[in-house]
């Protein structure tokens, strides 16, 4: 489950950056998020991960849990959280491109995303991961891993450096081995990761330059 945990930890990391960026940009955080590369990367990773779970993990787990109504109820709660979080992301995107969303409502939306996603990741790890380990067949888990990998690799130039930001060298090696052919590792080390490292994802460098 290395890649899944890496994704969860990367989402948590970006939530911390997101929260700081929003707080720093008050009273007009929309102005930062409209141009922040970090918001686009976060949104892409979120949808990549949850779409793989929705299409390849949760349906298999639902099948494996047939006849276990309590566990199915827990699964339904996770699915409801996915839908609610996606709606919050869509609302934030809408607020960034359309008029009529004041700072109070935008603050509620960003707060809901931060609180909701943190709680969801913890809930999923506590409620779903044990069910996966207990009831999902190896073939079903490998199918999810394949779908998850393909969706990450479809945007590997951007998502892999984002996913592996700040992790141990051992985790980098493990994830790259799982996700990329050996021939692509050189590109990750010498092109993709340096380009990612040069990004000012959340406007931090600009804020430092313009600080009085």
């Amino acid at each position: 489950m290395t890649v899944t945990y890496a994704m969860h930890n990367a989402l948590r990391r970006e939530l911390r950056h997101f929260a700081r960026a929003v707080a720093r940009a008050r009273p007009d955080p929309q102005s930062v998020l409209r141009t922040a590369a970090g918001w686009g990367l976060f949104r892409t990773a979120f949808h990549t991960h949850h779409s793989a779970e929705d299409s390849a993990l949760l349906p298999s787990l639902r099948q494996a849990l047939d006849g276990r109504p309590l566990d199915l109820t827990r699964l339904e709660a996770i699915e409801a959280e996915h839908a609610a979080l996606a709606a919050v992301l869509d609302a934030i995107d809408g607020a960034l491109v359309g008029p009529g969303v004041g700072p109070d409502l935008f603050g509620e939306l960003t707060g809901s995303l931060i609180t909701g996603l943190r709680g969801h990741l913890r809930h999923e790890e506590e409620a779903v991961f044990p069910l996966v380990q207990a009831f999902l067949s190896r073939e079903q888990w490998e199918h999810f891993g394949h779908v998850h990998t393909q969706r990450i690799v479809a945007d590997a130039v951007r998502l892999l450096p984002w996913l592996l930001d700040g992790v141990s060298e051992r985790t980098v090696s493990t994830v790259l081995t799982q996700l990329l052919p050996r021939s692509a590792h050189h590109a990750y080390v010498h092109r993709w990761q340096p380009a990612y490292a040069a990004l000012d994802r959340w406007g931090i460098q600009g804020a430092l330059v313009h600080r009085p």
Side-chain angles (χ1 to χ4, degrees):
M1 300 181 78
T2 303
V3 176
T4 300
Y5 274 114
M7 180 62 79
H8 277 209
N9 289 336
L11 289 169
R12 287 189 177 101
R13 179 200 70 223
E14 291 304 297
L15 278 177
R16 292 192 294 270
H17 289 303
F18 173 78
R20 285 196 292 266
V22 168
R24 188 178 61 247
R26 288 173 181 159
D28 185 24
Q30 291 102 315
S31 62
V32 171
L33 294 185
R34 285 189 187 101
T35 58
W39 174 247
L41 283 166
F42 173 84
R43 186 181 57 209
T44 299
F46 173 93
H47 287 303
T48 295
H49 179 58
H50 276 190
S51 67
E53 288 185 333
D54 288 340
S55 63
L57 178 62
L58 299 182
S60 294
L61 191 54
R62 177 177 292 279
Q63 183 179 25
L65 294 174
D66 185 41
R68 300 181 62 88
L70 179 58
D71 288 332
L72 285 170
T73 298
R74 297 164 74 187
L75 197 62
E76 289 169 1
I78 294 294
E79 292 171 330
E81 289 171 9
H82 278 201
L85 287 165
V88 172
L89 257 72
D90 287 345
I92 293 174
D93 272 340
L96 294 178
V97 299
V101 176
D104 289 344
L105 177 54
F106 193 78
E108 290 181 22
L109 291 172
T110 56
S112 293
L113 175 62
I114 293 164
T115 302
L117 184 52
R118 282 176 178 163
H120 168 71
L121 295 172
R122 182 175 61 252
H123 186 197
E124 196 168 76
E125 290 166 0
E126 293 174 352
V128 174
F129 285 11
L131 295 176
V132 167
Q133 293 172 334
F135 295 102
L136 212 64
S137 70
R138 180 175 180 178
E139 291 75 17
Q140 289 171 320
W141 177 251
E142 288 178 349
H143 172 63
F144 165 66
H146 175 74
V147 172
H148 198 209
T149 294
Q150 290 303 307
R151 297 191 184 190
I152 294 172
V153 170
D155 198 6
V157 174
R158 296 195 314 141
L159 285 185
L160 271 182
W162 179 92
L163 178 66
L164 298 175
D165 184 2
V167 306
S168 68
E169 291 185 7
R170 180 177 180 179
T171 300
V172 171
S173 177
T174 299
V175 171
L176 290 182
T177 298
Q178 289 183 23
L179 299 188
L180 289 180
R182 176 63 62 178
S183 58
H185 290 199
H186 184 274
Y188 171 84
V189 171
H190 295 284
R191 295 202 302 273
W192 304 354
Q193 202 284 327
Y196 168 82
L199 282 177
D200 181 13
R201 299 197 314 281
W202 295 104
I204 294 172
Q205 293 173 17
L208 294 175
V209 169
H210 292 97
R211 181 177 294 172

